[in-house]
Amino acid sequence: MVLKIATWNLCLGLFHKKDYVRDLLYENDIDVLNLQETELGQDVDLNNLNIRGYVLEVETNENKKRVATYIKTSLQYKRRNDLEKPNLHIIILDIIANPQVRIITLYRTFRPQDASSPRDHFRNQLQLISKATTYNTILLGDMNLDENKRFAINYNQRSLFGDFDEIIGHHQYTQHVTEATWERVIENQVKSSVIDHIYCTNSTNVEKIVYVNTTYGDHKLIILRTTDEAKIGQIKIRRRNWRNYSSEMLAEELGKVEWQTKIESIQELWNSIEQEILTVIDKLVPAEEINDFIKRGKNSPMVKKNLNRRNYLLKKRKRSVQTEDEKDEIAKLNKYIKNHYYEERKQHVRKKIIPGNNKSLWDAVKIAKDIEPTPLPTTVNKGGSEYSGKDVPEAFSKFFKSKVSNLEENLTTRDEVYNGYKFINSVEMNFMTEDKVAECLSELKIKNCEGYDRIPMRILKDGASILRHPLSVLFGKIYEKKEIPEQWKVAKIIPLHKKGNKQDVSNYRPISNLCSVSKVFEKLVQKRLEKIGEENNIDITGEQQHGFKKNRSTITAGLTIQSIISRRMDEDNFVVMSSLDLSAAFDLVNLDLLLKRLKKMGFPNDVISLLEVWLRNRYFYVEANGHNSMVQNSDIGTVQGSILGPILYALFIRPLYDLETLTTFADDNYVIGYHKEKDIALGELGEKLARIVEWLKDSGLKVNEKKTEVCIFHRNKNTDGTLKIDNTTIPSNIEMNVLGLTFDSRLNWGPQISRAIKGANNSLQAIKLIRKFFKTSEIIQLLTSNFYSKLYYGSEIWHLPTLNSNSKKMLLSASANALKLCNAIYDPNISYVDLHKLHNRALPSKFCTYRHCLLLFKVVNNKISNKDWLDLNFQMINTSRQTLFEIQNCAVYKVGNNILSNRLSSLNRKIQLDFLNLPFETYKIKCKNLFLS
């Protein structure tokens, strides 16, 4: 098969030309594109440079990365970091083929970033290339050496050609570039040279060299086409084609099926239903081999005509002096062509936007810049061994399995561990009726991804009116016999890169895709568990758990923690908080102990039996680069990626709340102690943590003492100190990350505000990149959904009316700077306040007031904490003539303004008391009209 390897000097950097680079890749169907002068600083987020269907590799450089390579994801390759050296502007790749092809790309700079001379730097490059050269190597890039002057006596760079021959001449490299690759008009004369080179050690593999004129820049794109002799290792990826799918067609096809619902065996019944569904899916949404990049539409006749005319004029100017009219015509043609491609790109982006859907606007950002998850490399390393091709998923599978197994080996459970008490009274009842099945089907998310059963959830949701009956028959038998089909116990795992070296499997985490119909099973059980809680008027996972339940979130957990700390600080106490880190908490849940605790709590036997059959004897396999690993057993944990996993984990640790007071969100645990004396507070917290850690370990969970953090809070005294847990000494920090928020030791919130602004500005940068595609009203929506949502995340906790003036100025400045995007021409004389009025955006101070209005409603209706409700009732001023809300601020010290009831004094005489009797949505509208309009 033919392999297309290209090289191009960008001149102005990859960040500014990424869209054009993408178009060149797609239009020329390039397999490997080597780029020079990419000019990528350390502050550039490389994820913003990803192109769909390609992997980006950049040189290793401590300063500015000037060389990068895009490789088509269907190619198997290996980055040879072991052969490269930092700061030399060189990338070395091995393309897995028969025979193997090594590609070395370089850029020769005039100004090395170290202290060496340009010639010494070039010699260092050549020496590295000499060591890396193989029998089938392609060396290419911008050498800034004119091939036409190689033997010219007066050429000032001639000595560098001598170095080239001296150091790598014995490798018998052959130069394949013969035409001028650089061209510029200087003083009305066309200057050109051959400075982009392509050398090969095996010229029999070269079919031809193609030169492509580029719209932007002085360099041509040069493409080397290999012969058809080399067998390139390619990955065949099949995906479903949804272009012709519609829910109407699905309903029509499903309606034709004669469902065999009288089959008694659960396994055979599901096999029959599954086969019928898959037959319909394969007909409507066939699986096809695909290229991972978008094929652009053909140019219109008018565009082709203008392209041809421009090419003719560019060639003509090489032969004769260019007239002023021809110069003007070329400029007009360039402008027309540029506008054409801009409009094409604009329409492509805008088609992806769903009006009124803020999430789709963020998706449009990703589409516009082709930002996508980093593709898997074709070669990975695990424990010093190298894996490629079909062995890649096997390497991930063994790593994911061993990661949990190694932790499990050193864990034990103790028979005497406290397992809770009975607080539930419930009887068995069939909760898998047709109405319940239909309800769960309607609540499924519309997703096209597939698990082991190959049935996307979109199919179940769109076909619910037909599928509800055969599936309800199946679930009726499942409830009766307490069995589930074997397919539902198999999870498909996709590795997702976290950070670090892409070829190291330890830098990936598993993403689990479960069978879609098993998710219906999970929803049925989840709803039954929630119903049991309602029937017993109890929170089955405990009031201290803020995860996985209605009206609870990271914000309510943060408010609870902030309330405890600020109250104790206002009493002039030292407050010590520790965050307990658990390793792979969900994956290490002991199933025997979980089922024992569920029984102890009083859950009915039918629920426990169904959970047991679902949790036992599970399996998983890894899918990577179109290949699958062997199936591995998974007999521990609450099933990663499942609907039931979080609530089962919460029930597993529920007995801990009977022993100690702590605040948790999922597996994030926060423990607090306080006292007038710092050492006593530390000692009491240490004893409390020791009891909690002992219970967790006796329950078979792994506490990571090294990642456990401690922070000491006080309103004005020194907050240094240390805490001991199991002979591990933990020094206190001056701040702590709590569920995405930064709590500082004085609760001044300065570090939180700085980080909120920094995080929001990262999103602002992405919006800047695509603002040209949107109208002003649409940019406001983008800012609301992606900038302000980050800027004000958790503001109920830290955005106090009494923040210091510097913090308020920072927030106002950040908010106003974002609004500048909405102005075609920004007037520097306009004030920040007027800028907010101009775009109908609330000032941070007004937004703070509005958020506190919502908090007031929640406190009044006892939806936050009982303590805040009690304080509100004690501090409110109530008289017979009182019509406006008013409350006393009872803060003893400044830090007491953090206490929610004291903060609410900022609303004094601003809200009608009868507003608090309205429905919440009506109340919100009233408050918006008062403070945000």
Side-chain angles (χ1 to χ4, degrees):
M1 118 172 235
V2 174
L3 186 67
K4 292 184 179 180
I5 303 169
T7 181
W8 186 39
N9 184 305
L10 289 161
C11 296
L12 293 177
L14 179 56
F15 187 82
H16 299 286
K17 290 189 176 180
K18 182 210 163 182
D19 289 351
Y20 187 59
V21 168
R22 178 194 56 245
D23 292 339
L24 287 176
L25 285 167
Y26 294 162
E27 290 166 6
N28 296 282
D29 193 15
I30 296 171
D31 295 296
V32 182
L33 174 59
N34 303 281
L35 300 168
Q36 301 87 46
E37 290 195 32
T38 50
E39 313 303 297
L40 301 174
Q42 296 298 323
D43 58 337
V44 173
D45 185 355
L46 296 180
N47 288 324
N48 291 333
L49 299 174
N50 284 346
I51 292 177
R52 196 175 304 279
Y54 287 86
V55 181
L56 174 64
E57 296 283 357
V58 297
E59 67 161 301
T60 304
N61 198 302
E62 298 165 356
N63 188 7
K64 185 181 289 184
K65 300 173 176 63
R66 309 198 71 187
V67 177
T69 302
Y70 282 103
I71 310 100
K72 193 178 286 185
T73 52
S74 59
L75 286 180
Q76 296 185 50
Y77 78 96
K78 179 183 178 184
R79 172 79 180 269
R80 296 307 302 267
N81 294 287
D82 56 322
L83 300 177
E84 298 174 11
K85 288 184 180 179
N87 309 326
L88 277 183
H89 308 314
I90 287 178
I91 292 176
I92 305 174
L93 302 172
D94 283 344
I95 304 298
I96 310 302
N98 186 18
Q100 182 169 284
V101 180
R102 175 162 292 174
I103 300 175
I104 305 176
T105 183
L106 83 157
Y107 173 70
R108 188 188 79 79
T109 179
F110 291 113
R111 296 179 181 177
Q113 63 191 59
D114 55 19
S116 64
S117 66
R119 184 174 183 182
D120 288 341
H121 189 267
F122 184 51
R123 288 182 66 87
N124 290 336
Q125 287 180 313
L126 292 174
Q127 287 165 1
L128 186 146
I129 291 167
S130 180
K131 293 178 182 178
T133 299
T134 65
Y135 69 95
N136 193 18
T137 298
I138 298 173
L139 168 64
L140 72 175
D142 179 5
M143 293 193 182
N144 281 309
L145 295 173
D146 191 348
E147 181 68 21
N148 288 335
K149 298 179 180 179
R150 178 185 282 265
F151 303 107
I153 296 175
N154 61 347
Y155 183 44
N156 60 356
Q157 304 290 349
R158 185 183 178 190
S159 59
L160 298 182
F161 277 118
D163 294 335
F164 185 93
D165 293 334
E166 173 194 339
I167 298 174
I168 67 173
H170 63 285
H171 289 298
Q172 302 299 313
Y173 274 107
T174 303
Q175 160 72 303
H176 289 272
V177 179
T178 57
E179 293 186 13
T181 61
W182 173 87
E183 182 178 279
R184 182 179 297 172
V185 178
I186 301 175
E187 295 180 355
N188 211 29
Q189 288 187 343
V190 178
K191 302 288 185 179
S192 63
S193 62
V194 182
I195 60 176
D196 300 284
H197 299 183
I198 296 181
Y199 298 90
C200 298
T201 56
N202 180 11
S203 296
T204 60
N205 257 356
V206 180
E207 179 183 295
K208 66 175 179 178
I209 301 293
V210 179
Y211 304 89
V212 179
N213 289 317
T214 56
T215 305
Y216 310 106
D218 301 327
H219 292 253
K220 290 183 179 179
L221 172 71
I222 311 167
I223 304 173
L224 177 148
R225 289 169 56 97
T226 63
T227 61
D228 204 12
E229 294 178 2
K231 295 180 180 178
I232 308 301
Q234 287 207 321
I235 304 165
K236 300 294 184 182
I237 299 177
R238 294 176 64 84
R239 290 185 184 167
R240 294 197 179 277
N241 184 346
W242 292 85
R243 288 193 194 96
N244 300 319
Y245 168 82
S246 70
S247 56
E248 292 78 16
M249 292 173 62
L250 176 67
E252 181 182 346
E253 292 297 327
L254 290 175
K256 298 176 184 177
V257 176
E258 295 184 8
W259 305 98
Q260 305 300 316
T261 55
K262 294 184 179 180
I263 300 174
E264 284 302 317
S265 166
I266 290 174
Q267 186 63 56
E268 291 180 11
L269 176 57
W270 170 242
N271 289 345
S272 172
I273 295 173
E274 181 186 56
Q275 187 56 50
E276 296 289 1
I277 296 174
L278 284 174
T279 301
V280 173
I281 294 174
D282 290 337
K283 180 179 179 180
L284 300 180
V285 196
E288 300 173 353
E289 285 187 9
I290 54 100
N291 289 319
D292 258 359
F293 56 90
I294 303 166
K295 285 285 190 181
R296 298 295 176 200
K298 294 182 179 179
N299 287 323
S300 67
M302 181 59 72
V303 176
K304 287 182 178 179
K305 179 182 177 181
N306 286 319
L307 282 169
N308 291 337
R309 176 62 180 169
R310 188 190 63 174
N311 291 337
Y312 166 76
L313 292 173
L314 290 173
K315 289 179 181 179
K316 183 181 176 182
R317 79 179 183 185
K318 295 179 184 180
R319 300 191 298 267
S320 60
V321 176
Q322 197 174 45
T323 67
E324 289 299 321
D325 289 342
E326 287 174 336
K327 278 186 183 179
D328 292 341
E329 187 177 0
I330 288 176
K332 289 178 181 178
L333 289 170
N334 282 337
K335 184 176 180 180
Y336 174 85
I337 294 166
K338 182 178 179 181
N339 287 339
H340 167 77
Y341 286 119
Y342 167 78
E343 287 298 325
E344 183 189 59
R345 186 65 183 156
K346 178 180 177 180
Q347 293 306 317
H348 178 66
V349 171
R350 295 182 67 82
K351 283 180 182 177
K352 300 295 181 180
I353 298 173
I354 303 171
N357 186 323
N358 288 332
K359 179 182 179 301
S360 71
L361 291 174
W362 181 243
D363 291 338
V365 175
K366 296 180 180 179
I367 293 165
K369 307 312 295 181
D370 274 326
I371 300 170
E372 61 176 348
T374 306
L376 288 174
T378 53
T379 303
V380 297
N381 300 311
K382 174 184 173 291
S385 300
E386 189 175 283
Y387 299 82
S388 61
K390 296 181 180 178
D391 296 329
V392 169
E394 200 64 40
F396 281 111
S397 176
K398 290 177 180 177
F399 169 71
F400 294 146
K401 174 73 175 177
S402 63
K403 188 177 179 181
V404 176
S405 299
N406 292 341
L407 288 171
E408 184 189 5
E409 285 177 3
N410 301 316
L411 300 176
T412 57
T413 59
R414 196 165 63 90
D415 292 337
E416 294 79 13
V417 66
Y418 175 71
N419 291 314
Y421 66 95
K422 183 175 180 178
F423 57 84
I424 288 171
N425 290 299
S426 184
V427 296
E428 296 185 14
M429 61 171 292
N430 184 359
F431 55 90
M432 294 186 170
T433 62
E434 185 168 339
D435 288 342
K436 295 293 184 183
V437 171
E439 182 183 345
C440 291
L441 287 172
S442 67
E443 293 176 2
L444 289 176
K445 295 180 180 179
I446 297 178
K447 290 187 176 181
N448 292 342
C449 57
E450 302 174 3
Y452 179 63
D453 59 357
R454 295 176 50 233
I455 300 175
M457 283 200 290
R458 174 187 288 272
I459 298 295
L460 298 181
K461 188 174 181 69
D462 289 350
S465 60
I466 307 294
L467 294 173
R468 60 181 289 175
H469 175 65
L471 289 180
S472 63
V473 173
L474 172 69
F475 281 113
K477 294 182 185 295
I478 287 173
Y479 179 83
E480 180 185 344
K481 298 184 178 183
K482 306 299 185 290
E483 299 174 14
I484 64 171
E486 291 301 314
Q487 296 98 311
W488 295 6
K489 296 186 178 186
V490 182
K492 179 175 76 173
I493 302 294
I494 306 294
L496 181 66
H497 182 249
K498 295 183 292 184
K499 59 181 179 179
N501 185 357
K502 298 175 190 174
Q503 294 180 319
D504 188 347
V505 297
S506 62
N507 291 327
Y508 288 78
R509 65 184 179 90
I511 299 297
S512 182
N513 285 334
L514 304 178
C515 293
S516 55
V517 183
S518 76
K519 288 186 175 290
V520 181
F521 170 86
E522 291 184 68
K523 274 191 165 293
L524 288 165
V525 177
Q526 180 192 38
K527 286 180 175 294
R528 177 58 181 150
L529 292 174
E530 292 171 352
K531 186 66 175 177
I532 289 172
E534 291 175 11
E535 291 170 350
N536 287 267
N537 195 27
I538 193 169
D539 186 339
I540 59 174
T541 59
E543 291 289 338
Q544 292 161 269
Q545 173 62 263
H546 290 258
F548 335 118
K549 57 181 71 171
K550 190 176 180 181
N551 297 325
R552 295 296 185 93
S553 63
T554 54
I555 304 304
T556 59
L559 277 169
T560 300
I561 293 169
Q562 192 250 34
S563 177
I564 296 170
I565 295 173
S566 57
R567 289 176 194 283
R568 299 311 175 190
M569 288 176 71
D570 199 41
E571 296 168 357
D572 203 26
N573 286 302
F574 283 94
V575 183
V576 188
M577 179 166 69
S578 174
S579 64
L580 275 178
D581 184 83
L582 299 178
S583 300
F586 285 33
D587 297 328
L588 291 177
V589 168
N590 184 284
L591 299 185
D592 291 332
L593 205 52
L594 170 63
L595 297 170
K596 183 177 180 179
R597 288 176 180 174
L598 292 177
K599 191 169 185 177
K600 185 88 172 177
M601 294 174 192
F603 285 98
N605 290 330
D606 57 350
V607 172
I608 295 174
S609 298
L610 286 166
L611 284 172
E612 181 171 16
V613 75
W614 181 72
L615 289 167
R616 301 279 193 197
N617 304 315
R618 296 195 66 90
Y619 302 89
F620 76 91
Y621 69 95
V622 175
E623 181 183 87
N625 294 336
H627 302 298
N628 296 331
S629 71
M630 298 288 287
V631 175
Q632 298 258 20
N633 71 305
S634 175
D635 51 5
I636 188 173
T638 60
V639 187
Q640 200 263 344
S642 64
I643 294 171
L644 284 173
I647 192 171
L648 291 179
Y649 171 80
L651 288 167
F652 182 74
I653 65 167
R654 173 68 170 78
L656 176 60
Y657 304 143
D658 300 335
L659 305 177
E660 297 292 344
T661 301
L662 67 163
T663 302
T664 62
F665 182 89
D667 58 342
D668 293 316
N669 306 281
Y670 299 92
V671 191
I672 299 173
Y674 62 93
H675 198 274
K676 297 287 185 182
E677 299 295 329
K678 179 167 60 175
D679 291 340
I680 296 176
L682 282 166
E684 289 181 353
L685 179 65
E687 293 173 4
K688 195 173 186 179
L689 282 174
R691 293 190 292 270
I692 293 172
V693 168
E694 181 183 10
W695 185 88
L696 291 170
K697 288 183 176 180
D698 288 345
S699 297
L701 296 175
K702 169 68 175 173
V703 179
N704 190 341
E705 288 89 353
K706 293 181 179 179
K707 288 189 177 181
T708 294
E709 294 182 274
V710 173
C711 186
I712 302 174
F713 300 84
H714 195 276
R715 64 183 185 86
N716 59 14
K717 293 182 181 178
N718 183 285
T719 54
D720 294 334
T722 57
L723 186 70
K724 270 194 172 185
I725 303 179
D726 277 6
N727 299 319
T728 300
T729 301
I730 305 170
S732 66
N733 300 321
I734 59 172
E735 57 190 46
M736 180 185 288
N737 184 296
V738 180
L739 303 170
L741 300 173
T742 303
F743 281 56
D744 61 280
S745 59
R746 298 284 188 271
L747 287 193
N748 291 326
W749 303 108
Q752 163 59 28
I753 291 169
S754 297
R755 291 180 186 179
I757 292 172
K758 182 179 179 181
N761 283 340
N762 287 336
S763 293
L764 186 63
Q765 180 61 33
I767 298 170
K768 285 180 180 178
L769 295 175
I770 63 161
R771 64 173 174 172
K772 60 185 179 182
F773 296 122
F774 300 95
K775 299 175 183 177
T776 299
S777 59
E778 294 168 334
I779 293 174
I780 289 289
Q781 287 183 322
L782 271 170
L783 292 173
T784 300
S785 60
N786 296 290
F787 174 81
Y788 289 108
S789 62
K790 286 191 174 182
L791 182 65
Y792 293 121
Y793 168 71
S795 62
E796 298 95 327
I797 298 166
W798 57 264
H799 196 183
L800 279 62
T802 54
L803 281 177
N804 62 54
S805 60
N806 185 50
S807 294
K808 290 181 177 179
K809 287 177 183 177
M810 288 174 63
L811 285 170
L812 178 60
S813 175
S815 179
N817 284 333
L819 292 173
K820 292 175 185 178
L821 283 184
C822 305
N823 291 20
I825 300 175
Y826 174 64
D827 179 5
N829 296 317
I830 190 171
S831 71
Y832 287 167
V833 173
D834 290 338
L835 191 60
H836 282 77
K837 289 180 180 177
L838 178 64
H839 297 292
N840 197 28
R841 180 77 207 183
L843 292 164
S845 58
K846 295 286 187 181
F847 188 75
C848 176
T849 303
Y850 170 70
R851 278 289 177 95
H852 279 79
C853 289
L854 302 187
L855 286 172
L856 172 61
F857 187 92
K858 292 176 181 178
V859 173
V860 168
N861 290 276
N862 210 7
K863 290 185 177 180
I864 296 184
S865 74
N866 191 52
K867 178 61 178 169
D868 289 313
W869 181 83
L870 290 172
D871 285 349
L872 179 73
N873 282 279
F874 277 115
Q875 293 173 225
M876 270 186 67
I877 299 172
N878 287 308
T879 66
S880 58
R881 296 182 179 181
Q882 193 87 16
T883 59
L884 297 174
F885 170 78
E886 194 169 358
I887 190 172
Q888 290 180 335
N889 186 328
C890 296
V892 179
Y893 302 104
K894 184 178 179 181
V895 72
N897 290 316
N898 279 272
I899 300 170
L900 184 53
S901 56
N902 292 334
R903 280 195 267 159
L904 293 176
S905 63
S906 63
L907 302 177
N908 280 352
R909 306 192 66 78
K910 293 179 181 178
I911 294 181
Q912 295 282 346
L913 281 174
D914 56 4
F915 282 9
L916 297 171
N917 299 320
L918 298 171
F920 183 61
E921 292 303 320
T922 308
Y923 174 81
K924 279 178 67 175
I925 294 171
K926 293 274 189 183
C927 293
K928 280 184 179 180
N929 292 334
L930 275 174
F931 303 109
L932 300 185
S933 59

